Amino acid sequence: MDADAIETTFPRIISVDDHTVEPPNVWRDRLPSKYHDTAPRIVRAPLESISYVGGRFAPRMGAPGDGGPLADWWVYEELRRPLTRLDTAVGYSRDEVRLEAITYEQMRPGSYSVPERLADMDVNHVQSSLCFPSFPRFCGQTFTEAKDHDLGLLCLRAYNDWMVEEWCGPAAQGRLIPLTLIPLWDARLAAAEVHRSAARGVRAVCFSEIPPNLGLPSIHSDDWDPFLRACEETGTVIAMHIGSSSRMPSTSADAPAAVGSTITFANCCFSMVDWLMSGKFDRFPGLKIMYAEGQIGWIPYILERADVVWEENRGWGGVADKVLRPPSELFSEHVYGCFFDDAFGLRNLDAIGAGNVLYETDYPHSDSTWPKSREVGEAQMAHLSPDVVERIVRTNAIELLGLTADGLFARP
């Protein structure tokens, strides 16, 4: 297939990893007034300092009247988290994207506004988009780490209501696909929230790539079974974003951010081996999981190594009685890798499987290929047949997320 052919036929993209920056009123509009001073809220205040070293993000809010640059901060319990340029970098040159705190007026409106988001999707040849959170973090760690879990549950449900009713509401025209949160601190409550969301047409939920990093049980335990059962019963996909364990890969406390940015896939790699060796896919054969922003080039070797270990070491490796088939077979039936820029992975697609790969644009983050996601896809998929390109860019997402044949979210 030559470049001229793909230029005229490249499908409208269904991006399975973008992000929303929550508007300031998400929780104020959806919680009783008695919580307005304790639920998440925006405060404009100076920035005293900000750093991102060794995989750790460390901002400090200044006092009123300090001379630092003004930023909009989410305030919740003891948490003070500013909006940053890394939250919404599209529209800026790479050299202009720095670690700095900003206000809503300093970000691209498509980051938080539905009409502007749809317009930016049109510019980027994107039809539909699944969006991960910002302030709640990639799997709702903000509410999991809160002291008051009763209020945290109200806040989490309010976010899910906003996601379904407003972000993915009528104004989105079915082009924004809902992705909801669960209360990670209680698997039974999580199961209930999965069922509540599924009744509204939601078919994807956020989860942590490595739960023990959040002080939670590992996937090898039985603690998550109520949640996993609910996902299987409802056809809900478990979506894990890089960083959803609150620890981005790094090598040392003083490693520059570029080290972690190069190896962001590592947590996905560790997580996928956990799942493949957990026995969960044999116990819950309907489960589907996906790794957002993890890229795909690393997958072939991990599958090869996992199969060797399963074949040669399962007698003493603790998996003989629970992992009943080669891990590569389990991967083929249950796991999806997501990429936005991975020419190497696409050159090795036969070792991964075209049915296990999804495309994304990562709007509006600094890694985003916006507004050139089509051009990136055309260049990197030019060697693939049209039906394979269609599968990667659209069909896999339609089938996995229960979209209409036209690639849209439809309410029940």
Side-chain angles (χ1 to χ4, degrees):
M1 181 176 184
D2 61 35
D4 290 339
I6 200 169
E7 173 66 28
T8 59
T9 61
F10 197 79
R12 289 283 302 281
I13 297 165
I14 298 178
S15 175
V16 296
D17 170 34
D18 294 318
H19 299 265
T20 176
V21 176
E22 298 79 20
N25 62 330
V26 168
W27 288 277
R28 180 170 290 273
D29 286 355
R30 286 166 181 78
L31 292 177
S33 58
K34 67 178 181 179
Y35 295 116
H36 284 180
D37 293 331
T38 52
R41 56 206 180 276
I42 285 289
V43 172
R44 185 160 291 185
L47 173 73
E48 180 179 307
S49 63
I50 188 169
S51 65
Y52 186 75
V53 179
R56 298 290 183 177
F57 178 53
R60 290 180 61 87
M61 179 189 284
D66 286 354
L70 287 178
D72 284 334
W73 297 73
W74 282 109
V75 175
Y76 176 52
E77 293 190 344
E78 282 76 42
L79 180 63
R80 304 292 183 268
R81 201 279 194 193
L83 305 179
T84 75
R85 177 58 62 214
L86 300 186
D87 293 324
T88 173
V90 293
Y92 289 79
S93 73
R94 296 302 188 192
D95 290 337
E96 292 177 307
V97 178
R98 300 181 176 87
L99 184 60
E100 60 181 346
I102 61 173
T103 65
Y104 279 95
E105 289 81 5
Q106 293 172 294
M107 68 172 62
R108 193 171 184 87
S111 303
Y112 58 86
S113 169
V114 170
E116 283 83 358
R117 173 61 65 94
L118 298 185
D120 280 354
M121 289 163 60
D122 288 338
V123 168
N124 201 30
H125 198 63
V126 173
Q127 180 196 31
S128 306
S129 169
L130 181 81
C131 294
F132 283 82
S134 291
F135 170 72
R137 313 220 301 278
F138 296 145
C139 66
Q141 303 103 297
T142 296
F143 303 123
T144 300
E145 295 168 0
K147 294 178 180 178
D148 186 345
H149 276 168
D150 291 335
L151 176 56
L153 183 60
L154 293 177
C155 291
L156 183 149
R157 288 176 173 166
Y159 173 88
N160 289 347
D161 291 344
W162 169 81
M163 168 61 64
V164 175
E165 298 167 4
E166 188 168 336
W167 184 253
C168 301
Q173 305 167 32
R175 298 178 62 189
L176 296 175
I177 306 163
L179 174 66
T180 53
L181 302 173
I182 58 166
L184 292 165
W185 60 90
D186 188 317
R188 287 177 174 78
L189 287 177
E193 193 62 20
V194 167
H195 281 288
R196 188 176 84 97
S197 293
R200 308 166 88 182
V202 178
R203 289 297 176 266
V205 64
C206 300
F207 191 64
S208 173
E209 60 205 350
I210 307 175
N213 284 355
L214 303 178
L216 299 169
S218 81
I219 200 64
H220 300 288
S221 75
D222 294 335
D223 297 72
W224 294 108
D225 285 4
F227 163 65
L228 301 181
R229 188 173 299 110
C231 289
E232 182 179 45
E233 291 171 348
T234 58
T236 297
V237 179
I238 298 174
M240 292 170 281
H241 194 284
I242 59 167
S244 56
S245 57
S246 296
R247 295 186 194 177
M248 292 298 287
S250 191
T251 55
S252 64
D254 58 350
V259 172
S261 186
T262 302
I263 57 175
T264 52
F265 71 90
N267 281 357
C268 299
C269 174
F270 301 155
S271 174
M272 191 178 82
V273 175
D274 253 354
W275 280 87
L276 293 176
M277 297 299 188
S278 69
K280 298 303 182 187
F281 295 137
D282 289 295
R283 294 188 55 215
F284 301 99
L287 278 181
K288 304 286 186 181
I289 68 174
M290 58 171 273
Y291 288 100
E293 208 172 319
Q295 311 300 344
I296 60 174
W298 53 272
I299 292 175
Y301 172 72
I302 292 300
L303 294 180
E304 178 182 286
R305 177 59 184 164
D307 278 358
V308 169
V309 169
W310 179 84
E311 183 65 39
E312 297 184 357
N313 300 336
R314 64 178 181 267
W316 60 266
V319 297
D321 296 331
K322 61 181 181 179
V323 182
L324 307 181
R325 290 184 292 152
S328 60
E329 290 186 16
L330 298 174
F331 171 88
S332 180
E333 295 177 11
H334 299 277
V335 185
Y336 294 78
C338 311
F339 76 99
F340 57 81
D341 185 359
D342 192 341
F344 179 84
L346 289 166
R347 290 196 301 270
N348 292 274
L349 186 63
D350 287 347
I352 303 167
N356 297 85
V357 174
L358 304 166
Y359 197 38
E360 58 183 54
T361 78
D362 196 30
Y363 179 104
H365 284 181
S366 60
D367 266 338
S368 178
T369 52
W370 186 94
K372 302 293 185 181
S373 300
R374 174 179 179 169
E375 289 82 351
V376 170
E378 288 172 342
Q380 296 189 355
M381 299 184 214
H383 64 292
L384 301 175
S385 64
D387 61 311
V388 171
V389 174
E390 180 80 17
R391 175 156 288 282
I392 292 171
V393 176
R394 291 184 59 81
T395 309
N396 287 339
I398 288 172
E399 294 174 354
L400 183 65
L401 299 171
L403 306 179
T404 69
D406 294 327
L408 302 174
F409 166 63
R411 298 174 183 278

